[in-house]
Amino acid sequence: MRAKLSVLFLCICILLTSFTACGGGDTKTLRLPLSVLPSCYDPQISSGIDSENIINNCFEGLVRIDSAGNIAKGVAKDWSVSSDGLTYTFKLRTDAKWFVPSGAEDVLGEDYKDTFDNRVTAHDFEFALKRAVNPDTGAPLANTLVAISGAEKILNGKAKPDSLGVTATDDYTLVIKLAKPSVSFLSVLASPICMPCNEEFFDATAGRYGLKVGLILCNGPYYLSLFDEESGVTLKDNEEYSGEYKPLADVARFIFPSALTQSKSSDEGGETTETTTTAPKLAELIAAEEGGYDVGAVTEAESKTLEDVAEIQKYKNSLKLLCFNSASAGTNNENIRLAMIHATNVDLLRDNNPDAEGIVPSCCGLAPGVSYRASSNIIATPQYDLSKSAACISQALSGNDGALNLEINFVCLKEDETAVKEILQDWQKAFGVGLSVTVTSYDTQEELDAVVNRRAYDVAYTKLTASEFLAADFLNRFSSKSGTNIVSVKSATYDALLEKIYNAPDEAALLAANKKAEEFLISGGYLLPVYECNSYLAVKTTAKGLTVRPSGTVYALYE
């Protein structure tokens, strides 16, 4: 038995150190957790924290967002805004280049080195933005560009993409005209959807852009070197990059925890047995001296065990809340959702944590460098009141022939199951025998997230963590066309509120528009915020220099 354990331990060590070796002894590698392998690396259509982490390091837009949430230079070396706030003129660096991957001859032809222009120019940004608003592209964040002149008509199919108010007046000058002044426009330009795209290369990929390593061009501090379904994504230092940011490592690997799992078969007495070793927890991999992660999100309890090996950073980027899936047969009626909300005693869920101030976590600002939750900006939530719950039920029944027969799938974490069952006692009082609830609980947040993200639930008590650094972008998760719309909001009214956000001419109008969007989601019975909670990021000395967005979830692997 001791011999078997020794062999097993050796296998684990070999597996871990395999992620350490990168070719040369002086090669520096950063290792980061990966939860989901992005299906595509095309910035215009990708979404999710994992893909944004990769895009943020492999691409560079006109501007960037720094660790404090402020606007910083990107490919644009400077810019100016007209006195009426409608015309933005960007002057681009003349030394910015695309990293052309090996095997490019399969895309661009054998003589591409003589014929392909690898400069990053204003034309690449013009093409990218016009492609982003083209309804045929299906860009999930296209509505964030509504401030640009012509964008609204293009998005509604009433004009052609070429009519967008974006023009490359020469190779290194880009002019963008807005329909209305927008205080958040520069922030939008730092998002993945606004990354440049080379039209010649895009056309040459024949609809496969971003699906494979050799089918994407990168212009950031790193380039995409490998993505593998079993292990994860590998980035490498882009030697063509000439911008202001220096890569922290030669290689950056976003690795699945499952890649650290190994199965071993043995033959004893003529019978084959299989022993499987499961990957250590993320906190254990951060604590490992070699072969583990250099950075990762951990729980508060885990953070205390890592204080000797890592810097612990705390972020107010998460919210515990109730989610009501409006696409579900059981919760598609607004009055039913509100009846459930009024029958919910959130004190039973809060466990002495302070009240949530709204749906948007505190890490999300109003504008770069401006707090959203300042000046006691607290969004009121429906109160626990069984009489109001009964009134909502009566209103729902008035259009349902007086019959009520609801079967609800309620999902939560195992640690919250007891509290959930306590609030359901009041639900049963309010609804009576017409309500049947099945509670399904999960061991980990990752398992629960998978269910919620698939919208395979009626009601969920879960945690939402922001990757966004602005309140507007967090609220945009719930737009009608968003792939992250976990409560299935399909509302022209809400989409119009989002347009007001991205068209807001000043901070006062922006604050008012954000608050109305939050109030809509709460008053419509889509979300009931319970309490805000902290997340913890452990950063080892091996990742010294790494900066993190105010959300604590998007990493900059450069300085």
Side-chain angles (χ1 to χ4, degrees), residues 219-381:
N219 74 315
Y222 296 85
Y223 70 89
L224 268 167
S225 173
L226 172 71
F227 44 93
D228 179 81
E229 292 183 0
E230 299 298 326
S231 58
V233 181
T234 299
L235 315 182
K236 289 188 177 180
D237 177 4
N238 180 6
E239 295 181 355
E240 296 287 353
Y241 178 73
S242 57
E244 296 190 1
Y245 306 96
K246 180 182 178 182
L248 296 175
D250 303 290
V251 178
R253 285 189 168 130
F254 291 85
I255 307 168
F256 286 123
S258 58
L260 303 180
T261 303
Q262 175 163 328
S263 296
K264 178 179 178 295
S265 297
S266 61
D267 191 349
E268 293 185 9
E271 293 184 6
T272 300
T273 60
E274 185 173 278
T275 302
T276 302
T277 62
T278 57
K281 292 182 178 180
L282 190 146
E284 295 173 349
L285 291 169
I286 294 173
E289 291 186 7
E290 292 185 355
Y293 292 132
D294 296 290
V295 60
V298 295
T299 66
E300 182 177 9
E302 289 172 334
S303 71
K304 293 177 180 178
T305 69
L306 295 170
E307 291 176 345
D308 292 338
V309 298
E311 176 190 351
I312 305 300
Q313 302 173 5
K314 184 169 72 171
Y315 298 89
K316 296 185 72 173
N317 62 1
S318 298
L319 202 74
K320 290 284 280 192
L321 75 176
L322 281 167
C323 303
F324 299 84
N325 184 1
S326 62
S328 166
T331 48
N332 62 4
N333 184 296
E334 180 178 325
N335 283 302
I336 292 295
R337 299 195 300 269
L338 289 174
M340 292 174 175
I341 287 174
H342 281 300
T344 300
N345 182 356
V346 293
D347 287 338
L348 298 174
L349 299 171
R350 194 171 290 125
D351 191 26
N352 296 320
N353 289 289
D355 292 2
E357 296 179 335
I359 292 170
V360 179
S362 296
C363 68
C364 298
L366 177 66
V370 180
S371 170
Y372 176 55
R373 290 296 179 208
S375 304
S376 301
N377 174 23
I378 299 174
I379 309 299
T381 58

Side-chain angles (χ1 to χ4, degrees), residues 37-43 45-47 51 55 208-211 216:
L37 187 70
S39 58
C40 178
Y41 298 85
D42 177 351
I45 63 175
S46 67
S47 63
S51 62
I55 289 169
R208 299 173 296 154
Y209 185 70
L211 296 179
I216 192 80

Side-chain angles (χ1 to χ4, degrees), residues 7-47:
V7 172
L8 194 58
F9 179 75
L10 180 60
C11 289
I12 295 173
C13 291
I14 292 172
L15 184 61
L16 290 174
T17 54
S18 69
F19 288 103
T20 305
C22 311
D26 296 330
T27 301
K28 181 178 179 181
T29 300
L30 283 175
R31 303 161 195 82
L32 306 101
L34 182 71
S35 57
V36 177
L37 187 70
S39 58
C40 178
Y41 298 85
D42 177 351
Q44 269 73 58
I45 63 175
S46 67
S47 63

Side-chain angles (χ1 to χ4, degrees), residues 109-180:
E110 295 291 340
D111 60 344
Y112 81 90
K113 292 183 179 179
D114 297 323
T115 61
F116 181 69
D117 184 356
N118 71 337
R119 297 177 302 157
V120 177
T121 68
H123 304 285
D124 297 325
F125 286 95
E126 178 183 355
F127 175 69
L129 291 170
K130 289 180 175 179
R131 176 176 171 248
V133 298
N134 187 338
D136 292 339
T137 300
L141 297 178
N143 68 324
T144 63
L145 302 175
V146 70
I148 303 178
S149 177
E152 186 173 356
K153 287 186 177 180
I154 297 168
L155 290 168
N156 292 327
K158 296 180 180 179
K160 294 183 178 180
D162 282 345
S163 65
L164 188 69
V166 180
T167 305
T169 57
D170 59 47
D171 286 348
Y172 299 108
T173 306
L174 185 75
V175 177
I176 302 178
K177 295 187 176 181
L178 305 187
K180 301 175 183 177

